[in-house]
Amino acid sequence: MNLDEQELEMARKWLDFTVESFIRNMRKLRIKQTGALMASFKKQVIGAASGRLQLQLSYALYGKFVDMGVGRGMGLGVRRGDDGYDRLRNSRGQLKRRERKAKKWLGKTLAYQTKRLSELMSELHSTILLSQVSDVLPTEDVVVNF
């Protein structure tokens, strides 16, 4: 198995593990009203022609709003004084029925997993580099004077 194949395999496994981590976080925080957000994850490993490995991870946009704790309560274009505004909100503009709460399922996990991917790729490249260097070294002792 050459380096490109090993990188692709590692990237696929990393994407699978990362999506599992996101879903675990959502279950722990009870973010599963319809299950659509959990089902919206799409992942793809793209081997670019320039030799750079590209990963694509996408999910429903409203997942960011859940993470930030915003976006629930009013339809598009509803303003203060419109019909239905007073029914949903108090005089300060806050929702009456429930308070928005951020459910942080994305940020820390994504930062950690990205760092971990860079560590794994560095380790893979260093292992391959060391094996290539050891293959070309002479069998006798080598003395280097500084």
Side-chain angles (χ1 to χ4, degrees):
M1 186 181 278
N2 64 18
L3 178 62
D4 292 336
E5 292 172 356
Q6 289 176 337
E7 281 182 342
L8 288 173
E9 183 64 26
M10 185 177 294
R12 283 188 194 102
K13 288 180 181 178
W14 179 84
L15 278 171
D16 292 339
F17 185 80
T18 301
V19 169
E20 288 172 12
S21 296
F22 286 148
I23 291 173
R24 225 180 2 259
N25 284 349
M26 286 182 209
R27 287 189 176 130
K28 185 171 77 174
L29 294 169
R30 296 185 180 143
I31 305 171
K32 55 183 175 184
Q33 292 161 4
T34 63
L37 180 58
M38 289 183 194
S40 71
F41 282 100
K42 291 181 178 50
K43 54 193 183 235
Q44 184 178 8
V45 178
I46 304 166
S50 64
R52 293 185 59 155
L53 183 66
Q54 295 179 351
L55 308 177
Q56 185 177 32
L57 178 63
S58 60
Y59 53 90
L61 176 63
Y62 75 89
K64 282 189 166 251
F65 302 138
V66 172
D67 183 65
M68 294 183 284
V70 299
R72 184 177 53 184
M74 289 188 354
L76 183 65
V78 176
R79 306 262 186 257
R80 190 180 303 256
D82 287 350
D83 186 35
Y85 181 87
D86 293 329
R87 182 175 50 87
L88 295 173
R89 301 194 173 259
N90 63 20
S91 62
R92 294 184 351 200
Q94 298 168 330
L95 284 172
K96 291 179 182 177
R97 61 189 164 142
R98 56 186 110 115
E99 202 175 300
R100 295 178 186 164
K101 294 179 184 175
K103 295 184 177 183
K104 303 286 187 184
W105 65 272
L106 177 67
K108 285 184 181 179
T109 303
L110 184 60
Y112 173 76
Q113 293 299 339
T114 304
K115 179 183 178 293
R116 186 65 185 133
L117 178 62
S118 69
E119 291 171 352
L120 289 170
M121 287 296 178
S122 296
E123 186 177 315
L124 175 66
H125 284 275
S126 65
T127 304
I128 291 176
L129 179 65
L130 286 174
S131 67
Q132 289 175 349
V133 167
S134 65
D135 289 344
V136 296
L137 282 177
T139 56
E140 299 174 11
D141 292 340
V142 176
V143 178
V144 178
N145 294 323
F146 292 102

